[in-house]
Amino acid sequence: MSLSFPRAALSCLALASLASFAHAQQPALKVGLMLPYSGTYSALGVAIENGFKLRVQELGGKLGGRDIEYVKVDDESDPAKATDNVNKLIKRDNVDVIIGTVHSGVAMAMAKAAKESGTVLIIPNAGADAVTGPMCAQNIFRSSFSNWQPAYAMGMVAAKEGKKTAMTITWKYAAGDESVAGFKEGFEKGGGKVVKNLTVPFPNVEFQALLTEIAAAKPDAVYSFFAGGGAVKFVKDYAAAGLNKNIPLYGPGFLTDGTLQAQGDSAQGMLTTLHYADGLNTPRDNAFRTAYATQYKLQPDVYAVQGYDAAQMLATGMTAVKGDIGKKAEFAGAIEKAKIDSPRGAFTVSKAHNPVQDFYLRKVDGMENKVVGVAVKGLADPARGCRM
Ligand code: PHB
């Protein structure tokens, strides 16, 4: 040993400060936000971005010791443009992580690209069952729900309400199809029968002919998946046709979340199921709502929560790998082990990387989706087809 003790100690110190210098010098983490900023889902995209940025700000603007740089793409909820859009982020901008998106068809193209490139993808809304089913992967996560989850919960509620027959109406694309399938599973397990499925192409809002068909068929209930601008129009048209007086309109909470101001009287009394609700009145949710309202002069909705929790999941992984997002197994392992302290209530992430969470029953009361109770506790997506 040629070094005397004090010199060894000194060199250790030098090494340690060199390490912390290297740590501080890690470049900013490039976060690609691929969200709808135009079209029927534009308000959803904005709420997700707001929620995400709020959490990053609460964490001091850094994740795993790294500053954050944002790159944004408007995906227009257009699956035909999705592959080009996601490749702009992966190949041109070289992002470290992608946060997106809302539309299931766009999300499936994003998952495919993420799987091929290994880029971390956190989906802050799109429920496409396949993403945490056959397409599941170590680098793909969801902070929201699978389309099956709230739909299955609503099917169970409708059966418990004593409804025997239901018609469904939705946009014709993955989210609508899977939502209807989840509802049917829950409803028929409870003894009900789905008698007919009606669809319109996404993002059309011409509902008149189908509403006439519902009025003539007189089912006990109608189950519907629409969201954003389309949900506003559908709920208003349903009430304007007088259908809400005799045939209750059920749906996943997207039908009435972030939309009540625009829907006004037409949504009053509606029952929906979702992993978030107004009036939870927990310290965690109250703190989030106050912070969000202060920052954005807006009330948060489920989309804001999902954006916020995407940042919480990313922060969990980034802290575990000390900023080195290339450590894939450690990054994923940390999220798989974590309990995410969400405003919706704490949740865990399944092996397929989808939240295991409570589904609330909510009732529209004024401008709120008031929590009535828990429809299904700790509901996990079945993750059919996921091999990981
Ligand atoms: C979807 O396409 O998966 C989707 C879109 C909007 C929602 C929920 C799900 O509110």
Side-chain angles (χ1 to χ4, degrees), residues 41 44 102-105 125-128 145 147 173 175 225-228 254 303:
Y41 288 157
L44 287 59
V102 168
H103 184 287
S104 274
N125 184 71
F145 58 90
N147 287 321
Y173 81 102
F225 168 88
F226 292 104
F254 315 118
Y303 308 105

Side-chain angles (χ1 to χ4, degrees), residues 154-169 180 183 187 192-198 210-211 213-225 234 238 243-251 255 270-271:
M154 194 65 230
M156 292 184 70
V157 170
K160 273 199 204 124
E161 294 272 309
K163 306 301 174 202
K164 295 294 173 216
T165 59
M167 281 170 87
T168 67
I169 175 165
V180 163
F183 173 79
F187 188 51
K193 177 89 194 131
V194 172
V195 291
K196 186 147 194 196
N197 299 317
L198 305 172
L210 299 180
L211 293 175
E213 197 175 333
I214 292 169
K218 297 193 182 62
D220 292 345
V222 168
Y223 174 83
S224 166
F225 168 88
F234 181 73
Y238 194 85
L243 287 171
N244 60 341
K245 293 197 193 78
N246 301 313
I247 312 174
L249 175 58
Y250 297 142
L255 211 46
M270 276 178 63
L271 290 179

Side-chain angles (χ1 to χ4, degrees), residues 19-27 62 65:
S20 84
F21 178 74
H23 188 66
Q25 284 308 101
Q26 286 192 88
K62 285 180 192 277

Side-chain angles (χ1 to χ4, degrees), residues 304-338:
V305 172
Q306 293 168 171
Y308 188 85
D309 290 338
Q312 299 217 77
M313 287 166 67
L314 180 57
T316 299
M318 287 296 289
T319 302
V321 297
K322 300 190 176 61
D324 183 357
I325 199 167
K327 291 186 174 160
K328 298 268 169 57
E330 261 182 63
F331 181 90
I335 296 174
E336 285 165 12
K337 280 200 282 296

Side-chain angles (χ1 to χ4, degrees), residues 235 249-261 263-273 277-278 361-372:
V235 169
L249 175 58
Y250 297 142
F254 315 118
L255 211 46
T256 56
D257 231 81
T259 55
L260 290 175
Q261 216 77 31
Q263 287 163 335
D265 285 347
S266 62
Q268 294 307 305
M270 276 178 63
L271 290 179
T272 61
T273 46
D278 294 314
L361 178 62
R362 311 117 45 90
K363 185 174 189 171
V364 176
D365 180 1
M367 289 303 120
E368 292 197 331
N369 285 288
K370 278 236 169 83
V371 61
V372 176

